[in-house]
Structure formats: C-alpha cells, structure tokens
Amino acid sequence: MSVNASVLPLDGNARAVIEGLTSQQKWLPPRLFYDRAGSALFERITELPEYYLTATEQAIFEREAADMVRSAGDCPTIVELGAGTAKKTMMVLRAAAEKSSAITFIPIDVSSSALKVARRRVNRELPQAAVHPLVMDYTERFPDLSRFAGPRLALYIGSSIGNFEPMEAAALLRRLRLSLRRGDALLLGTDMRKPASLLIPAYDDAEGVTAQFNLNVLARINREFAAGFELDRFAHRVVWNESESRIEMHLESLRPQRVHIGALDLAVDFAAGERIHTENSYKFTPKMIEALALNAGFRIQQTWRDDRNWFRVTLLRA
Ligand code: AVJ
C-alpha cells in the first residue's frame, strides 16, 4: 500500500480512514456516520420501534426535567456535547428557562446539518434563549467556555458516551471537567446493560435502517475520498460482546476484494468474511457509571431512571 501522495496536511477524518483501514483489525471511527445522510438516518433510527433508547430517555426527561434542573441549581449556560438536532434537550432548556431569566445554549456536534435543525428548533420553541452552535469534534479538542456565564450545566445524553472505551470515556469526561469549574454540573445519559434479546434488535432492526446507517460510512468515503466501495459487497453485522459489555457494529466483506480510495492514494484489500469494526456501544451497570464519574473528577449527585430501569440520567457535580 502506498502513502498519501498529496503535500496537503490531512484532516482528522482522512487520517482516521487511513489508520483504520490499514490496521490489522480494520476499523472506522463512529463519528464518520454523521454526515448529512447519516444524521438523517440516525434520526430515523431514533423513531424505530426496536431502538428503545431515545423514547426511554425522552420519557425520563418528560417526567423529570424540572426535578433535574432543580437539583442542578441555577445554570444560565447549558452546553451539550453531541447535541444533534437537540430534540430531547428542549425539555431541559424549557425547565432551565423557567428558573434563570437569561439562558445561553451551546450545542456542539460534528454535524453542521443537525446543528442547523437544533438552532431552528430552539429559536422557534424558546425564542428567549441565546443559541451558539459549535461545529467541532469534541473528541479532538474542547471549546473554551470561560466567556459564558457560570454556573454551567453540561449535557451528554443519548448514551453517546457509550461509543468510547472505558479509558477513552474517562479521558473525555476528564477533559470536559477541566473546561468546567468546580460546582458546575453534568447530566449524563447512559443505556443500561440488558439481555441480548433486547439489545440486538435495537441495532439490527427489521426495516434495515441501521444497516443503511452502518453502510453509509462507506458511501461517505466514496463521496468524500473518491473511493470505490460497492455497498452490496458488504453486510451489516451486530455482535453482543458480553465480557466487554458492549454492542459492536461491523461491516463484513462478502468476498475477497480490493477497494481504491483515490483521494488518499490508498488501495485496501479485504478477505472474504473480513470485518471493519465501525462502532462500540457500551451498555452500563451502576458500577461502571460510578467508576467513570470518579475517574473523571465528578461526584454523583442524583440518578433518574425509567420504570423498566433500561436507561439512566445521572447528575454529576464537578
Ligand atoms: C448515538 C452512539 C448513542 O450507540 O446507540 C444507533 C448510535 N448506532 N444505532 C448508539 C447508533 C447504531 C447510538 N449513539
């Protein structure tokens, strides 16, 4: 395989594609799912009957948002990591707006199309809130929040933290902790461990939307890096990894094949049955949440859950 021939510095996505597809165990980072098409597919996933996560967390927020904001205390600045279209966030924002006279909402996401929807939604439903969307990859760097009034409430919901391995997740929250001040708060949403018979369908739905979402990462590499992936030569695979407590998504090559990635001057060989590991989605126990919080320099203040105990929202205090 050859190296990139261009003299231009490679951006983070290009570097990830090269690193991931030239590794022994091939992988791609889950943030690559979220281009315009992928963000739209993710929105469809959240509406699938099998994908219980969104509706379950939504129900927790519907019932408890006022209590969460009461426990968090006065927080004029609300910052959300991986905000997406900020649908679930509205309930927290509304409750916060009732307590603080002026609130500022800073949604952060890698998807600019999703953030446009978020901004429009907040402007329409809560015109008194100031919105400052930031298009950035929060795994690479963190925004400077010092110019925004404190205390701050950070939101990291939807079990997005579940995409990271335990060490990375702790490092990410530690970095978040450093951009906050002592006394600031974090609401963390986590999908809880449950039987594989419930987990697998959530990631392998009958309609095949999650399969499309997974395969879209190859379509994106075709579009953005002039690659020649043929999508019908790969299949969506879902694995429950019990010992690691995570759902894994893979793309399996259905035959031996070579794929050229023009813009990266790269040729990638696949054996039949070889897989690209595209996502981990950790499923938490209370102990895992506790370890994560303590590792990152937060203490657990309060927890809210749904009636089935499938999902939790935990208030952490910096
Ligand atoms: C947005 C990371 C929480 O892991 O459940 C949905 C992404 N992947 N279906 C998840 C996802 C496949 C989702 N997170």
Side-chain angles (χ1 to χ4, degrees), residues 51 95 132-133 148 188 198 202 235 251 291:
Y51 194 76
H132 293 276
F148 297 104
L188 183 69
L198 293 164
L251 290 166

Side-chain angles (χ1 to χ4, degrees), residues 34 42 45 51 53 158-160 163 203 210 213 249 279 281:
Y34 301 96
F42 180 67
I45 288 174
Y51 194 76
L53 287 82
S159 209
S160 302
N163 269 175
Y203 292 85
T210 310
F213 174 73
M249 294 207 312
E279 185 175 50
S281 193

Side-chain angles (χ1 to χ4, degrees), residues 23-278:
S23 293
Q24 172 71 355
Q25 162 65 66
K26 294 182 172 63
W27 59 275
L28 288 167
R31 67 165 189 279
L32 289 182
F33 289 135
Y34 301 96
D35 65 351
R36 182 184 293 272
S39 294
L41 284 166
F42 180 67
E43 286 296 304
R44 281 179 62 197
I45 288 174
T46 65
E47 289 157 11
L48 292 169
E50 297 96 329
Y51 194 76
Y52 61 84
L53 287 82
T54 311
T56 306
E57 189 180 36
Q58 174 95 8
I60 300 174
F61 280 120
E62 262 159 30
R63 196 165 63 186
E64 314 279 15
D67 194 41
M68 291 174 187
V69 166
R70 202 172 314 123
S71 293
D74 181 48
C75 293
T77 297
I78 296 176
V79 48
E80 181 171 8
L81 303 185
T85 65
K87 205 172 186 176
K88 282 172 292 188
T89 317
M90 286 313 302
M91 279 167 294
V92 176
L93 293 181
R94 263 188 231 106
E98 278 174 27
K99 285 199 64 191
S100 311
S101 47
I103 65 164
T104 300
F105 177 46
I106 306 159
I108 303 174
D109 206 280
V110 287
S111 169
S112 58
S113 59
L115 284 180
K116 274 186 199 135
V117 176
R119 185 209 279 270
R120 253 183 270 129
R121 192 194 301 281
V122 180
N123 286 345
R124 184 178 62 236
E125 295 182 31
L126 207 65
Q128 67 270 39
V131 187
H132 293 276
L134 295 178
V135 180
M136 60 186 268
D137 177 4
Y138 57 79
T139 64
E140 301 233 315
R141 64 188 186 88
F142 252 83
D144 176 15
L145 300 175
S146 58
R147 69 190 168 103
F148 297 104
R152 299 171 196 90
L153 173 61
L155 298 181
Y156 197 27
I157 63 178
S159 209
S160 302
I161 189 73
N163 269 175
F164 302 97
E165 289 175 16
M167 300 289 270
E168 288 175 335
L172 179 64
L173 290 194
R174 226 174 288 128
R175 249 181 297 137
L176 170 64
R177 168 65 190 85
L178 290 174
S179 77
L180 298 174
R181 293 204 197 109
R182 195 186 179 82
D184 287 352
L186 164 64
L187 278 175
L188 183 69
T190 46
D191 193 25
M192 306 306 283
R193 210 177 148 115
K194 56 183 67 61
S197 57
L198 293 164
L199 290 168
I200 300 270
Y203 292 85
D204 199 3
D205 61 281
E207 226 191 300
V209 181
T210 310
Q212 272 188 69
F213 174 73
N214 197 7
L215 285 160
N216 176 62
V217 75
L218 302 182
R220 178 181 187 172
I221 295 171
N222 285 348
R223 286 190 290 270
E224 294 186 10
F225 297 106
F229 283 103
E230 294 196 39
L231 271 52
D232 59 0
R233 295 181 178 183
F234 289 86
H236 173 61
R237 299 280 183 245
V238 175
V239 175
W240 166 240
N241 185 332
E242 170 97 33
S243 61
E244 299 289 337
S245 197
R246 69 191 191 201
I247 283 282
E248 298 175 3
M249 294 207 312
H250 301 259
L251 290 166
E252 182 176 317
S253 175
L254 295 174
R255 49 153 110 178
Q257 54 184 320
R258 169 170 288 185
V259 178
H260 293 275
I261 307 179
L264 302 176
D265 197 13
L266 187 70
V268 184
D269 289 318
F270 291 89
E274 186 176 358
R275 291 175 175 199
I276 308 172
H277 186 176
T278 51

